[in-house]
Amino acid sequence: SNGIKVNTGASNRIGSTTMSGNISLTADLIDLEGGGALTVQSSGDLQIKPNSGTATIGIGDGAVGTLNLNAVEIGRLVNGFSSITIGHITGGGSAIDVRTQAFTDPLAIRAPQAGASITVNGALSTGSGTSAGSITLQAGDNITLADSTSITTQSQTITLNSDADRLANGYISLGTSAAIASNGGAITLGGGTDASTGFAVSGTANQSGVLLGTSASIASAGGNVIVNGRASAAGLNSGIFLNPSSSINSAAGSMTLTGQATSTTTNNFNNGVSLNGGALSATTGAISVTGMTSAASVAGATGIELSGLGAVGKAITTTTGACTLNCSASTNVGASGTHAGVALHDGFAVDTAD
């Protein structure tokens, strides 16, 4: 049975063209498609959430979730809401599966409870003009973009906020060829109560706080970019790790990366920021990279490591924007270990034309 269901009728509606109040739909099972027509409309806020704090959510055709909204149901949400929130604003939340789906208003997908994660398994987007809107993903644990998936806005902000429960276990991972593009809006990846200052945190072995897979990309086309990542578990991990051919490009916007590695387990290589064949670039925007490792008794610990591009590789490039590297490395490494503020390998370079 469904907690909310459309049965029959050609003129069913929740709200109207003149309504300005908020609308909240709360049920574990919602069927907005049913056998009849429906419009859901207001200029206020819309929240759709499960009644249970642990019910899973699926968004888009093919998504898996107890509360499941397919493309037809989402199409019945009439453009004009101040915001659309799917999930719990505070507390609650479980796994959320997001498939290919376009929205026409500012969108927040939230699962802030401990153990709750969000996985993007398709192309999530908002439109342009009157259909433009920001996109925010907030999870108590991890946020993952599967291989070849994307999040796209048109001059609107994109925020990925993991570890919202502040239990130091919520990373952000972009799979192979995954892409985040804001076309002029700010992009923020971080954690805690404020992603712009807090950290996405990996408490998982061999998993970085923020990871860009091979050929993954973040591009703001002029919006400011902030990425904050911390790795605290054992294994080969970094606060922020860019795999080969991955990239972050802010164009005329500023770019600020802050990575920390805090593992105390032996025989690890724990770096604050690792550009392992990945690259950072801007035009007039300034780039600031801060890498810190406080890892004790490890085989290698570097504040910022640049490697993997070969003899002509350039890790960081700007046209006229400034570039600043701030780094520190623990001296508490093992006898066989090495430590450095900045380590450059394989012909890596930092190139600014200013």
Side-chain angles (χ1 to χ4, degrees), residues 53-263:
T54 58
T56 58
I57 299 174
I59 300 171
D61 288 349
V64 177
T66 303
L67 193 167
N68 195 286
L69 300 171
N70 62 30
V72 171
E73 293 172 293
I74 293 170
R76 294 183 168 185
L77 310 179
V78 179
N79 182 13
F81 285 101
S82 296
S83 68
I84 297 174
T85 298
I86 300 176
H88 295 269
I89 294 177
T90 59
S94 189
I96 299 182
D97 176 15
V98 183
R99 303 300 174 99
T100 297
Q101 185 61 55
F103 287 81
T104 58
D105 293 306
L107 173 69
I109 299 173
R110 300 186 187 275
Q113 180 170 278
S117 294
I118 298 173
T119 303
V120 178
N121 287 305
L124 177 64
S125 65
T126 52
S128 59
T130 59
S131 298
S134 60
I135 294 178
T136 299
L137 305 186
Q138 182 189 55
D141 275 16
N142 311 319
I143 298 175
T144 302
L145 274 68
D147 294 349
S148 301
T149 60
S150 63
I151 299 176
T152 307
T153 65
Q154 304 300 324
S155 298
Q156 301 293 312
T157 61
I158 297 175
T159 303
L160 273 56
N161 184 174
S162 65
D163 193 39
D165 57 9
R166 294 178 295 170
L167 294 179
N169 190 29
Y171 59 76
I172 296 173
S173 177
L174 277 64
T176 299
S177 299
I180 296 175
S182 63
N183 295 289
I187 299 176
T188 303
L189 278 64
T193 56
D194 182 351
S196 67
T197 57
F199 289 83
V201 181
S202 171
T204 303
N206 300 311
Q207 174 67 52
S208 296
V210 176
L211 172 70
L212 272 65
T214 301
S215 299
S217 63
I218 296 173
S220 69
N224 296 336
V225 175
I226 296 174
V227 181
N228 301 320
R230 177 186 296 145
S232 60
L236 301 172
N237 53 37
S238 300
I240 300 170
F241 191 96
L242 273 66
N243 273 291
S245 300
S246 63
S247 63
I248 303 177
N249 186 321
S250 62
S254 64
M255 183 191 307
T256 305
L257 273 62
T258 305
Q260 299 179 354
T262 59
S263 172

